[in-house]
Amino acid sequence: MPEIKFYKHDPLPMEMHKVKIVQKLNLLPVRDRLNKIKEAGFNTFLLHNGDIFMDMLTDSGVNAMSDEMQSAMLRADDAYAGSETFYRMRDKLEDIFGIKYLLPTHQGRACEHIIARHFVKPGNCIIMNYHFTTSKAHITTLGGRVEELVKDEGLIAKSTLPFKGNIDLDKVKACIEKEGAENIPYIRIEAGTNLIGGQPISYENMKAVTELVKPYGIVTVLDASLLQDNLYFIKTREESMKDKSIREITRMIADLFDVIYFSARKFGFCRGGGILVRDEKMFHDMEDYITLYEGFLTYGGMSVKEMEAMTIGFEETMDFDVISQGPQFIKHCVDVLDDYGVPMITPGGGLGAHINAKEVLSHIPSEEYPAGALTAALYLCGGIRGMERGTMSEERNPDGSERIASVEMVRLAFPRRVFTLSQTEYVIDRVKWLYDHRDLVGGLRFVHEPKTLRFFTGRLEPVSDWPEKLVEAYAAEFGEDQ
Ligand code: F0G
C-alpha cells in the first residue's frame, strides 16, 4: 500500500483491515511467568498459550483469516474423493502460478518429505540458498547432504542490502563442478529465507540461478512458504519490478521453477500445504506418496474447510494492500529498536523482527545457547513468546559436538493481520528494557535433548539463578503484577 500521510506525525504502518472477532489476552504476573517457563524447561515451544501475552513464536497457522475466507468455509464440499473444493483450489493455484498439477499435503514439511523421498539418494547433495530446519532434516534422514550457498553478505547481521537471501552463483558453479551434476537431483530456493531473518531473494537472482542449473538437468524447486513477503520486497526493492503487479511478479517467478511447494500455514493464511509439479510424469511418480502418507489426492490430509479458505487466501495474497502490512510492521519494530541501539538483523525482512542474540548476550558462549536464553528472558520480561533461531535449532555434528549456528537470533514473528501497533510498541519497549539489563541474563544447558529437531521438545535449565535475578529487577521496574 502507498504510505499513508499524516498531518502532525511521522508516517506509521497502517492496518488496512478492521477487527471483527477478538480473542482475549492474559498477562500473568512476572513471578507466575517464572514458574511457567521453569515448567516448560526454558523452551518457549513448551509453554501453554494461555500463559502468553504476545505470542510471537511463529507466523505459521496463526494468521488472521478475512471475512471472505471464513464465509467460503461454509461452502466446503465434504467428500473423501473428488471434492469440488479441491478443484477450486487447484484451479486458483493454476491461475496464479500457471502450473496445473497439484499434490495436496497437510503442511509444508510434508511437501519436503515427499520431494526428498522422490529425489534424494544416499550421498546426494542438495543445493539451497539457505536451509530450513525441516527441509534439511528430511534430506539428511535419507542420507543426503545440504549445501547452503547464500552470498556471504547475507549472513552479516547489520546491513542495508535489499536481498540478503540471494544465492552466490560462483559458489553454485563450483559446487556443481565438485559434486558432479548427477549427484545433485535438485536445487531448493527459499523465498524468503526463514533462518537468516526472513530475508528476501531478488527475482533477478532466482532467474540467474535457475538458468545456470537447468542445462545440467538439475530440477529447480521453489519453497514458496514465505513468498508473500518476498513478493512485497521484490515490488518495493527491485527497481526493474516496481511497475509490475504482484500477480505478474508471481507468474514471472513461477515460470522459473519445475516444482513449487508451500506451507499454507504461511502462504494462504490457513493450515495445509501443496506441491505444484510442472511435469506430468513427475507428478504421477509422486502421487503414491500422497496416498500413502497424507490422504487421498483431493485432500492430502487437509480439512476441506481450510482448503476452501486458503483458496481465497491465495487470491488475497495477490493484493498489495494485504501483503504490505506484515513487512511494514516488522520494519517499524526493527527500525525503532535499531535506533535504540539494540542489535537487530537489518534491514527488516518478512516473517518477523529478529534480534541478534550473539551480540546482545556476547558474554554467553554459543554452547550455552544465547538465543535460547534471550528467548526465555523475553518471556519473563513481558510475557512475549519468541522463538530461538540459533545453535539450539541446529543438530549436533555426527561426533556429538555442537554445530554452532552462523546466526544466533531471537525471532519475534508477526502473524499476518493479527497484532496492532500498540501491541507492537509494547514489544519494542520490553525488548529495550531487556537489552538495557542484558548483563542479568545467563546461559542454558539441556536436561533432555532429542536427537532430531531438538528445539521443538528439548528441555533446558539455567546455568545459574539468573532468571530469579532478572525477575527481581523486572518487578522493581514495572511492579509485581506486570
Ligand atoms: N519452509 C519454510 C520456509 C518454512 O518457514 C516452514 C515452516 C516450512 C517450510 C515448513 O512448513 O510448518 O507447514 O510444515 N516454518 C514455521 C516457522 C514452522 O515457524 O518458521 P510447515
Side-chain angles (χ1 to χ4, degrees):
M1 88 186 116
E3 203 170 67
I4 302 273
K5 296 197 174 83
F6 281 73
Y7 172 48
K8 289 205 178 228
H9 202 293
D10 289 340
L12 288 170
M14 183 65 71
E15 299 85 346
M16 295 299 278
H17 49 255
K18 66 176 183 178
V19 176
K20 278 195 166 182
I21 294 186
V22 297
Q23 178 179 350
K24 189 174 180 317
L25 291 174
N26 186 28
L27 178 61
L28 286 184
V30 60
R31 286 183 206 282
D32 292 357
R33 293 201 295 273
L34 180 58
N35 291 333
K36 297 295 178 188
I37 197 77
K38 282 181 181 168
E39 283 167 22
F42 287 82
N43 181 348
T44 52
F45 274 100
L46 302 181
L47 288 166
H48 295 204
N49 205 22
D51 301 329
I52 292 160
F53 185 52
M54 285 289 291
D55 187 12
M56 305 182 89
L57 182 75
T58 180
D59 63 335
S60 172
V62 287
N63 299 296
M65 283 194 198
S66 66
D67 47 359
E68 303 280 345
M69 292 168 77
Q70 291 265 342
S71 49
M73 289 169 89
L74 285 176
R75 63 171 187 163
D77 180 30
D78 276 317
Y80 183 89
S83 162
E84 291 299 336
T85 296
F86 172 77
Y87 299 112
R88 281 194 279 271
M89 174 178 165
R90 189 193 64 179
D91 291 351
K92 176 52 69 185
L93 287 166
E94 185 183 358
D95 170 47
I96 291 175
F97 289 103
I99 301 180
K100 76 171 179 205
Y101 298 114
L102 168 66
L103 299 167
T105 68
H106 78 276
Q107 66 182 92
R109 71 201 66 182
C111 307
E112 291 165 341
H113 172 217
I114 285 155
I115 292 167
R117 249 180 209 273
H118 179 70
F119 286 110
V120 177
K121 306 268 174 310
N124 278 171
C125 163
I126 313 300
I127 297 177
M128 300 183 181
N129 47 346
Y130 209 75
H131 82 278
F132 182 67
T133 50
T134 51
S135 60
K136 183 172 173 179
H138 280 298
I139 290 162
T140 52
T141 303
L142 291 164
R145 208 160 31 80
V146 167
E147 282 288 344
E148 294 163 291
L149 305 182
V150 71
K151 285 192 179 181
D152 294 342
E153 59 216 30
L155 301 179
I156 298 170
K158 213 170 154 62
S159 162
T160 53
L161 280 180
F163 292 106
K164 287 165 80 180
N166 280 358
I167 198 162
D168 187 322
L169 299 175
D170 291 332
K171 285 192 202 166
V172 175
K173 270 183 230 156
C175 180
I176 297 173
E177 238 159 67
K178 178 163 157 269
E179 297 286 337
E182 63 292 347
N183 197 37
I184 307 175
Y186 65 95
I187 181 169
R188 170 183 168 277
I189 295 297
E190 193 178 297
T193 45
N194 186 323
L195 294 188
I196 59 171
Q199 297 293 327
I201 170 168
S202 69
Y203 170 73
E204 188 188 292
N205 188 250
M206 285 191 255
K207 183 164 186 288
V209 72
T210 48
E211 279 174 1
L212 170 65
V213 303
K214 275 192 179 163
Y216 293 98
I218 297 171
V219 172
T220 52
V221 176
L222 174 71
D223 179 346
S225 306
L226 290 167
L227 185 64
Q228 180 179 124
D229 302 330
N230 208 120
L231 287 167
Y232 170 84
F233 292 119
I234 287 178
K235 181 155 175 79
T236 55
R237 293 184 185 173
E238 195 163 349
E239 185 55 32
S240 61
M241 305 295 275
K242 70 177 194 311
D243 296 326
K244 301 229 176 321
S245 69
I246 295 299
R247 195 179 293 277
E248 283 168 332
I249 299 171
T250 308
R251 180 59 74 87
M252 286 170 75
I253 294 172
D255 286 349
L256 305 173
F257 290 91
D258 302 311
V259 175
I260 299 176
Y261 76 90
F262 55 89
S263 166
R265 298 175 68 85
K266 297 171 189 273
F267 185 80
F269 303 94
C270 270
R271 286 147 286 245
I275 312 174
L276 290 160
V277 185
R278 198 174 292 282
D279 181 74
E280 187 177 354
K281 179 172 182 313
M282 192 188 287
F283 166 74
H284 288 305
D285 288 348
M286 285 189 194
E287 271 177 342
D288 289 354
Y289 295 119
I290 301 292
T291 46
L292 183 60
Y293 293 113
E294 298 298 304
F296 189 68
L297 291 170
T298 53
Y299 73 92
M302 285 183 277
S303 98
V304 283
K305 289 191 173 56
E306 298 266 354
M307 289 164 68
E308 201 70 65
M310 77 179 65
T311 303
I312 305 290
F314 298 142
E315 184 55 39
E316 289 180 4
T317 300
M318 296 295 106
D319 180 339
F320 189 55
D321 273 0
V322 171
I323 66 174
S324 300
Q325 196 250 334
Q328 291 185 357
F329 269 57
I330 292 163
K331 181 178 185 313
H332 176 75
C333 182
V334 169
D335 287 355
V336 176
L337 284 169
D338 188 45
D339 283 350
Y340 281 161
V342 180
M344 301 297 291
I345 307 297
T346 62
L351 197 175
H354 294 74
I355 308 170
N356 182 355
K358 206 177 213 150
E359 210 175 311
V360 175
L361 299 180
S362 52
H363 57 284
I364 301 181
S366 299
E367 290 77 6
E368 289 181 8
Y369 314 120
L374 194 60
T375 307
L378 193 57
Y379 172 69
L380 292 173
C381 301
I384 300 159
R385 168 158 81 163
M387 188 192 289
E388 192 272 1
R389 292 278 81 155
T391 300
M392 249 177 82
S393 295
E394 293 283 341
E395 274 165 25
R396 284 182 186 269
N397 294 312
D399 68 1
S401 60
E402 284 286 359
R403 188 195 303 269
I404 305 298
S406 35
V407 262
E408 196 81 57
M409 302 179 303
V410 177
R411 178 178 92 179
L412 299 175
F414 279 77
R416 294 164 188 85
R417 308 191 279 205
V418 170
F419 295 131
T420 61
L421 199 57
S422 48
Q423 289 170 328
T424 308
E425 294 295 341
Y426 170 82
V427 170
I428 291 171
D429 187 73
R430 290 310 192 257
V431 171
K432 168 67 171 148
W433 185 89
L434 181 56
Y435 177 66
D436 288 345
H437 296 79
R438 60 193 178 278
D439 292 350
L440 294 174
V441 181
L444 297 172
R445 60 180 161 239
F446 271 104
V447 287
H448 164 65
E449 184 177 345
K451 277 209 166 53
T452 309
L453 301 173
R454 61 184 179 174
F455 62 91
F456 277 134
T457 53
R459 304 183 75 82
L460 302 99
E461 64 181 8
V463 297
S464 67
D465 65 350
W466 66 260
E468 280 78 10
K469 294 205 168 107
L470 184 67
V471 162
E472 232 25 83
Y474 185 88
E477 182 83 53
F478 298 106
E480 295 283 339
D481 60 340
Q482 294 266 308

